Amino acid sequence: MARTIWDSTVGKKTVMAVSGLIMLLYLVAHMIGNLKIYFGAGEFNHYAHWLRTVGEPFMHYEWTLWLIRIVLVAAVIAHATSAYQLSRRDIKARPRKYVHRRPRASYATRTMRWGGVILGLFIVWHLLDLTTGTVHAGGFQEGHPYQNVVDTFSTWYGNVVYIVAMLALGLHVRHGFWSAAQTLGAGSRARDRALRTVADVLALLLTAGFIAVPVGVMTGVVS
């Protein structure tokens, strides 16, 4: 039964919608946590340490964090796989491009695929930069996330990579949230306008909230 659902277009869209909403919830929480950097090194580093102790003593040190990571990895893989397979299915159904572009298709809709690729590459870079320190500039300091963030956004390329990715994220969320609502049956003619407004507000808040961190470092507010 599970295989039958997965093989169907509706099943893949449902998986894509649910996994996208899981990642969206994480992004909202992650953005709020990131903004703690404006309260200083002590507050930000304490928050980073708290993430590793959530659930203690029932959960061992970092178990909750690893559980979150596993769920996120599963969501990313499910989202990317369903998106790729739906894209291939769409191409096979119509191998030739449309003679005229659909006038109602927004810029976000037309760039969803490339936006997904950009975000996928960014996730890899972000982990190598601030989690493992492999590509980190200025000398990665384990247990000092505040200083690591400042180091990253003290370089021009760190800012460019992050800001471009966050702009792509905003476009992705704007279209993706509305599409997920339609797939899961929450959309209707009466609610369409409200859902689009929620999608716009979410995309704007996430983009502005994430970009506020490098802007804070660039302007010297965070140093």
Side-chain angles (χ1 to χ4, degrees):
M1 182 178 177
R3 182 57 187 267
T4 301
I5 294 173
W6 170 250
D7 286 341
S8 69
T9 298
V10 173
K12 292 183 188 299
K13 287 184 176 180
T14 301
V15 169
M16 193 173 176
V18 172
S19 59
L21 291 176
I22 290 172
M23 290 186 286
L24 181 60
L25 289 173
Y26 168 76
L27 287 171
V28 172
H30 188 41
M31 179 202 68
I32 294 172
N34 280 1
L35 292 176
K36 286 181 177 289
I37 200 167
Y38 278 93
F39 293 95
E43 180 82 11
F44 192 72
N45 289 340
H46 176 70
Y47 163 69
H49 175 72
W50 172 81
L51 288 175
R52 289 160 173 73
T53 60
V54 174
E56 288 187 341
F58 179 74
M59 298 291 282
H60 194 61
Y61 183 75
E62 285 196 344
W63 278 13
T64 301
L65 184 60
W66 274 106
L67 182 61
I68 293 171
R69 287 169 175 168
I70 291 170
V71 172
L72 281 173
V73 169
V76 169
I77 292 174
H79 196 76
T81 302
S82 55
Y84 174 77
Q85 292 184 358
L86 283 169
S87 176
R88 298 303 303 172
R89 186 169 293 184
D90 184 50
I91 291 172
K92 287 181 179 179
R94 189 181 180 91
R96 291 186 178 182
K97 292 184 178 181
Y98 290 99
V99 177
H100 301 289
R101 284 186 176 179
R102 290 171 291 179
R104 292 179 60 86
S106 66
Y107 182 76
T109 303
R110 296 195 301 268
T111 57
M112 279 294 284
R113 291 170 186 170
W114 281 112
V117 172
I118 290 172
L119 291 172
L121 293 174
F122 169 74
I123 289 172
V124 174
W125 179 85
H126 195 52
L127 291 173
L128 292 175
D129 179 31
L130 294 176
T131 300
T132 66
T134 307
V135 298
H136 185 74
F140 184 76
Q141 300 181 48
E142 186 71 38
H144 294 82
Y146 182 92
Q147 188 58 50
N148 292 333
V149 170
V150 171
D151 288 343
T152 289
F153 297 129
S154 295
T155 63
W156 67 267
Y157 58 86
N159 289 311
V160 170
V161 170
Y162 193 85
I163 291 173
V164 169
M166 293 308 101
L167 292 174
L169 174 67
L171 289 172
H172 210 76
V173 168
R174 181 176 180 270
H175 179 70
F177 178 83
W178 183 83
S179 296
Q182 304 304 309
T183 298
L184 298 176
S188 68
R189 182 169 295 181
R191 291 193 291 263
D192 186 65
R193 191 169 186 175
L195 286 170
R196 288 187 182 277
T197 300
V198 172
D200 289 343
V201 171
L202 268 174
L204 181 61
L205 287 177
L206 283 171
T207 304
F210 279 118
I211 290 180
V213 178
V215 169
V217 176
M218 285 188 288
T219 57
V221 176
V222 176
S223 63

